[in-house]
Amino acid sequence: MTKAFDCVNHDILLEKLYIYGVRGIPYNWLKSYLSNRTQQVEVDNALSSSAKLRFGVPQGSILGPLLFLIYINDIDKFIDPKSTILYADDTSLTLSNKNINNLEVSCYEQLNTCVEYFDKLNLKTSLLKSNYVHFKLDNRVAYLNERSPLIMIDEHVLDEVPCVKFLGIHIDKDLSWNTQIENVCAKIASGIFLLRNLAEYCTTCILKTAYYGLIHPHINYGITLWGDCSEQRFMRIFILQKKAIRIVAKAKFREHCRDIFKRLHILTLPCMYIFETITFCLAKCNLETGANIHNHDTRYANQFRNNFHRLRAYDQLPFQAGVKLYNQLPENVKCETNFNCFKRTLKLYLINQSFYSVGEFMYGT
């Protein structure tokens, strides 16, 4: 959408607030917050006359994004909520079909319904910024040679792109995470350059703080998704992380890093993936043990169960990988019933072990 926050109709927004149960004093307060706002423009010390604003929510405030989300909250009445992903003024649709012609029809219907809905709310769709990714997980020749779908909004044909940046994560059409890995490596390399310059003047304690500010956020963000990429791509980031750790510890170029990770209390890249995936799985997923399903005293009755599937891509999903990783934890870690205590115990366990690969954690190799 174009200038979405500036196009919010105050009357429609107040009507929706009333429908959602905002009444009385809170309603009057929000009405006062939106009403009687004026705008002026200054050019070369010349100030225009004031104009009353009937559209737009104040930006730079906590209420702005919240009011906008309320404004478009009923989109699921027009479009299947399972296919809609909303984040502020970014709207994404995910549609699938085994038949390419049926997929084109479905996309046309859903997209144009979405555009009509936004038009009624005085929101302008940005066609030039709109594009699509055609995801393919089947590498058979017949599927690789299949034409891409023709996706249209009205008479405008959308551009197909091989990769899209969604909430800071690069998702490519093959879900190989190539672009994401390249992006993370570039940011880590930039952070390493700064660390190396700081190392001449700063102590290890300050360099560790700099590491958590310059490098750790780029590695940690979205690792539950891209962390199960190919081992070769995974190792590229891990090698850069070890290079950064040597700078923080002021260690020699070839010095082994496992003891350094333990001494600095920093998680290795594989341990970061294990920690984030397990905690995500426990916090966000509905998990079942064998004991929840049957009364038989089996060997794995108290372990969480995975969903049955046939695709490798499904096996890489966080809620699938998280169950496997959790079941491999020692009992003294799993016995923690409080989630925060569990996280602290798990992190301490991973720091003490400092695994160099997920395989080492799972199979001891």
Side-chain angles (χ1 to χ4, degrees), residues 98-127:
K98 293 182 179 180
N99 183 282
I100 198 77
N101 295 319
N102 292 339
L103 179 62
E104 289 177 342
V105 172
S106 177
C107 288
Y108 184 83
E109 291 175 347
Q110 294 283 341
L111 283 170
N112 284 278
T113 300
C114 189
V115 170
E116 290 174 5
Y117 168 80
F118 289 141
D119 284 342
K120 291 178 181 178
L121 296 179
N122 194 48
L123 299 175
K124 177 66 175 177
T125 304
S126 177
L127 297 180

Side-chain angles (χ1 to χ4, degrees), residues 162-330:
C163 179
V164 64
K165 187 177 181 180
F166 183 69
L167 300 183
I169 296 179
H170 295 82
I171 307 174
D172 59 87
K173 64 179 182 179
D174 300 316
L175 297 182
S176 64
W177 303 110
N178 280 345
T179 309
Q180 174 66 16
I181 299 300
E182 292 292 339
N183 184 260
V184 173
C185 287
K187 290 181 177 179
I188 295 174
S190 177
I192 288 173
F193 174 77
L194 292 173
L195 274 181
R196 188 175 286 115
N197 289 331
L198 287 173
E200 298 180 17
Y201 311 102
C202 301
T203 63
T204 295
C205 182
I206 295 176
L207 290 174
K208 182 179 175 181
T209 301
Y211 164 84
Y212 276 109
L214 297 171
I215 294 176
H216 180 83
H218 300 302
I219 299 177
N220 198 56
Y221 184 67
I223 194 172
T224 54
L225 296 173
W226 59 260
D228 204 11
C229 62
S230 69
E231 184 177 355
Q232 180 183 6
R233 298 186 185 101
F234 194 79
M235 286 303 297
R236 283 188 61 194
I237 296 179
F238 191 25
I239 289 171
L240 288 174
Q241 186 197 24
K242 289 191 285 185
K243 185 181 292 186
I245 291 301
R246 290 190 183 98
I247 295 173
V248 171
K250 300 188 177 183
K252 295 180 180 178
F253 179 70
R254 294 288 185 181
E255 189 171 340
H256 195 59
C257 289
R258 195 186 296 261
D259 290 335
I260 299 176
F261 277 108
K262 294 179 181 180
R263 187 171 72 250
L264 295 178
H265 279 249
I266 294 177
L267 291 173
T268 63
L269 179 63
C271 288
M272 290 171 65
Y273 169 70
I274 293 167
F275 178 83
E276 293 295 336
T277 306
I278 289 176
T279 53
F280 168 84
C281 193
L282 291 179
K284 303 294 184 181
C285 304
N286 295 321
L287 303 176
E288 287 185 331
T289 64
N292 297 135
I293 300 173
H294 58 73
N295 297 321
H296 304 294
D297 187 19
T298 59
R299 182 182 303 174
Y300 304 113
N302 294 321
Q303 290 195 0
F304 289 126
R305 295 169 63 93
N306 276 116
N307 296 327
F308 290 104
H309 58 279
R310 62 182 182 85
L311 296 177
R312 163 66 177 155
Y314 189 89
D315 201 37
Q316 294 174 312
L317 293 174
F319 62 83
Q320 285 288 105
V323 168
K324 290 183 178 180
L325 295 170
Y326 178 85
N327 288 337
Q328 205 63 29
L329 291 174

